[in-house]
């Protein structure tokens, strides 16, 4: 698989966008829904442009569109978008799910493969941030029966979808492992001076222990002076 490579930017459509495409309803998302744009030639920027194009007469929107180069967040992720095709009931996909459109464009060889790789990276990171697993992923199909994301169902058995979910799961596990590694490399250390536990704590980072020197010195009965001119800590103790 190629490396993920994209920039993430926000370009929100205005509240006044036609056809109620930004209804302004607040949403606490509990899943992420994956789509294909259904347009074999458009880029993410083209798709974003279409949302505010005066010729567009559809009440349809989404949250993020991604292609081989960039991901554009077109609506805040805590606001409703119309992408699931299942109405506006409290439990509908429209009211509970973040919609991600993957561009189908493959004008340059491998462009769609790159968009897919980018989507794997984006979604794995979104799951990590929310402490969600791949059980939170939905197809547009799951909400309304529409054949979407259509390019993941070329064989009518959704093999592409299952592979996509598997790739996200693998990437999510890698991300979790490296996050845990960072946590393991930096741990808090309690400080006890002559049997007395200090309120301050030390920190062990990559095998080196860092401690608040003033708290420790003073607990040992010493005085600490900071000389800002020479950037020096002076510790003195008179017996
Ligand atoms: Zn869709």
């Amino acid at each position: 698989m190629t490396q993920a490579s994209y920039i993430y930017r926000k370009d929100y459509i205005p509240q006044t966008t036609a056809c109620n495409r930004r209804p302004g309803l607040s949403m606490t998302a509990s899943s992420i829904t994956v789509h294909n744009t259904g347009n074999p030639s458009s880029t993410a920027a083209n798709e974003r442009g279409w949302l505010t194009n005066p010729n567009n007469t559809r009440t349809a929107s989404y949250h993020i569109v991604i292609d081989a180069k960039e991901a554009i967040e077109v609506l805040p992720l805590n606001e409703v978008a119309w992408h699931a095709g299942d109405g506006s009931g409290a439990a509908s996909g429209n009211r509970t799910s973040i919609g991600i459109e993957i561009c189908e464009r493959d004008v340059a060889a491998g462009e769609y493969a790159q968009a897919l790789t980018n989507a794997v990276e984006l979604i794995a990171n979104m799951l990590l941030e929310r402490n969600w697993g791949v059980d939170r992923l939905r197809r547009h199909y799951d909400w309304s029966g529409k054949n979407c994301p259509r390019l993941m169902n070329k064989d009518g058995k959704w093999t592409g979808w299952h592979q996509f979910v598997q790739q996200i799961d693998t990437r999510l596990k890698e991300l979790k492992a490296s996050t845990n590694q960072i946590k393991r490399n930096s741990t808090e250390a309690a400080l006890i001076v002559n049997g007395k536990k200090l309120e301050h704590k030390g920190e062990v980072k990559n095998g080196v222990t860092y401690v608040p020197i003033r708290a420790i010195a003073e607990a040992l009965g010493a005085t600490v002076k900071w000389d800002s001119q020479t950037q020096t800590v002076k510790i003195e103790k008179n017996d």
Side-chain angles (χ1 to χ4, degrees):
M1 207 161 76
T2 45
Q3 286 278 317
S5 169
Y6 62 94
I7 57 151
Y8 191 99
R9 65 184 175 97
K10 293 178 185 176
D11 184 6
Y12 292 154
I13 62 173
Q15 305 265 9
T16 52
T17 302
C19 305
N20 198 31
R21 283 191 284 270
R22 184 172 175 182
L25 298 166
S26 73
M27 174 178 80
T28 305
S30 53
S31 67
I32 293 173
T33 300
V34 177
H35 304 263
N36 276 132
T37 55
N39 184 334
S41 61
S42 66
T43 61
N46 295 150
E47 292 289 338
R48 165 60 188 83
W50 178 241
L51 287 175
T52 46
N53 185 315
N55 295 325
N56 184 347
T57 57
R58 293 189 59 221
T59 299
S61 48
Y62 51 86
H63 295 94
I64 301 169
V65 59
I66 187 163
D67 66 12
K69 290 191 182 123
E70 60 178 349
I72 310 172
E73 187 178 311
V74 304
L75 271 177
L77 306 186
N78 59 1
E79 276 187 33
V80 165
W82 306 117
H83 61 95
D86 66 345
S88 61
S92 63
N94 281 328
R95 298 294 293 271
T96 62
S97 198
I98 297 168
I100 299 183
E101 292 278 354
I102 303 173
C103 290
E104 300 183 0
R105 188 180 139 99
D106 202 23
V107 177
E111 207 170 333
Y112 179 63
Q114 184 66 55
L116 271 185
T117 302
N118 292 350
V120 167
E121 183 69 17
L122 171 68
I123 295 170
N125 278 281
M126 289 176 74
L127 294 177
L128 181 76
E129 257 172 49
R130 291 164 176 76
N131 203 20
W132 289 355
V134 290
D135 59 317
R136 300 283 191 148
L137 300 180
R138 302 284 182 276
R139 297 162 289 191
H140 184 172
Y141 171 78
D142 295 316
W143 299 113
S144 69
K146 185 178 176 180
N147 183 26
C148 177
R150 63 179 185 170
L151 297 186
M152 299 187 192
N153 188 31
K154 281 181 171 169
D155 61 357
K157 293 190 279 188
W158 291 105
T159 303
W161 167 252
H162 297 301
Q163 284 169 348
F164 183 68
V165 171
Q166 186 58 55
Q167 286 171 354
I168 292 171
D169 196 35
T170 301
R171 183 62 184 137
L172 179 58
K173 282 176 180 147
E174 283 173 11
L175 291 170
K176 272 188 187 161
S178 63
T179 307
N180 289 339
Q181 190 65 38
I182 291 163
K183 279 191 193 144
R184 263 202 300 282
N185 286 346
S186 172
T187 49
E188 236 176 44
L191 296 174
I192 298 171
V193 176
N194 288 336
K196 193 170 169 246
K197 190 166 182 180
L198 303 188
E199 268 181 55
H200 293 83
K201 288 191 163 57
E203 195 181 2
V204 185
K205 254 190 220 164
N206 295 317
V208 180
T209 308
Y210 297 86
V211 295
I213 190 64
R214 180 182 293 278
I216 290 181
E218 287 177 354
L220 288 167
T223 57
V224 179
K225 281 183 190 146
W226 169 245
D227 184 338
S228 60
Q229 288 220 305
T230 56
Q231 301 246 358
T232 307
V233 178
K234 288 182 186 161
I235 303 169
E236 276 162 18
K237 190 179 181 206
N238 302 316
D239 293 302

